[in-house]
Amino acid sequence: MIRVAIVDDEPVLRESFRLLVSSDPECTVVGEAADGAAAVRLAKSRRPDVMLMDVRMPHTDGLEATRLITGDQATTDVRILILTMFDLDPYVYSALRAGASGFLLKDIAPADLLAAVHVVAGGHALFAPSVTRRMIARFSAPEAISDTGRLDVLTNREREILTLVANGLSNTQICDREHISMATVKTHLNRILAKLSLRDRAQLVIAAYENGLVSAGAQAEVSRHRGGLL
């Protein structure tokens, strides 16, 4: 059962999301909040698997709440799925930096939102197609490469694994391609995350972009087929 919390300052939207999530027999709503500060308290008290998070809210906004939740050892396992009416670049990149596992627009189809909850709960990242396209465009420019020496802490094998992750391969696909066990893949990923001080797969992809490790063209082809799944 996937435990879901809903954060939005609009009561009508919270109710709509609650009814939608409750319609999925594999999901249960464990709490609601109307602002970011309450979301932080909710994450600590209820420890949801996935939190649907609005951006624009009073007191503490959704981006700051995401940063506080993912940065707290007690709630670091909570996966944040940002839902907003505003498809704006600053929101997207702030959400990624804050540790969000997904960024979707509120006009998403109900079935797609439920699918996104399952994807994020499974440890993947998911972004609206328009967001994925802009990520690719942003990091395909040479001037976007900001810290080319950051990956020097990785072994050659770890860089190879990171490249595969950034090009959209799942753990199972990496196992098949490299002829290694799932345990070995997970060990590599955990070491990469620790060395780069990153939280999850989404941040690994961003690090690969920023350091010029992944081909924007290759990732664009992956995104075209996978709909923004990382």
Side-chain angles (χ1 to χ4, degrees):
M1 186 70 72
I2 300 172
R3 295 163 48 82
V4 180
I6 300 167
V7 183
D8 199 294
D9 62 338
E10 294 289 342
V12 173
L13 285 177
R14 288 202 309 274
E15 176 67 9
S16 297
F17 289 140
R18 185 185 67 79
L19 291 174
L20 175 61
V21 172
S22 298
S23 71
D24 188 326
E26 297 182 2
C27 296
T28 183
V29 176
V30 297
E32 300 178 19
D35 62 66
V40 174
R41 295 193 296 270
L42 178 61
K44 291 181 178 180
S45 64
R46 301 299 295 166
R47 299 290 295 274
D49 300 307
V50 177
M51 181 170 277
L52 304 182
M53 181 78 73
D54 189 20
V55 173
R56 291 186 174 182
M57 294 182 293
H59 308 305
T60 302
D61 66 26
L63 300 179
E64 176 64 9
T66 297
R67 187 187 67 78
L68 291 172
I69 291 168
T70 61
D72 189 329
Q73 190 64 37
T75 54
T76 189
D77 291 336
V78 178
R79 315 285 295 184
I80 308 293
L81 182 56
I82 298 289
L83 290 175
T84 180
M85 294 295 294
F86 307 99
D87 187 14
L88 300 178
D89 282 354
Y91 288 169
V92 175
Y93 303 119
S94 295
L96 290 172
R97 298 294 184 196
S101 296
F103 188 105
L104 299 173
L105 300 183
K106 287 182 179 178
D107 62 1
I108 186 174
D112 290 338
L113 178 55
L114 289 177
V117 169
H118 284 265
V119 166
V120 169
H124 295 284
L126 187 70
F127 302 97
S130 61
V131 171
T132 304
R133 288 193 296 270
R134 289 205 315 278
M135 285 171 57
I136 292 165
R138 177 184 175 94
F139 292 112
S140 63
E143 58 270 21
I145 301 174
S146 59
D147 190 9
T148 55
R150 186 183 181 193
L151 302 186
D152 288 349
V153 296
L154 303 180
T155 65
N156 288 337
R157 186 54 167 160
E158 289 166 348
R159 288 170 68 97
E160 291 172 358
I161 297 297
L162 176 56
T163 300
L164 296 176
V165 170
N167 277 299
L169 275 69
S170 67
N171 286 1
T172 300
Q173 289 170 324
I174 294 174
C175 290
D176 293 341
R177 179 185 176 114
E178 299 299 305
H179 306 292
I180 55 180
S181 69
M182 180 64 72
T184 300
V185 172
K186 291 181 178 179
T187 296
H188 282 309
L189 290 178
N190 287 335
R191 287 176 178 169
I192 295 168
L193 288 167
K195 286 183 178 182
L196 299 181
S197 299
L198 299 176
R199 177 175 181 265
D200 57 21
R201 208 177 191 90
Q203 292 188 336
L204 285 179
V205 174
I206 296 303
Y209 271 127
E210 288 182 330
N211 290 274
L213 186 63
V214 66
S215 164
Q219 181 62 27
E221 182 65 16
V222 169
S223 295
R224 185 172 70 83
H225 291 293
R226 294 173 63 109
L229 173 64
L230 299 177

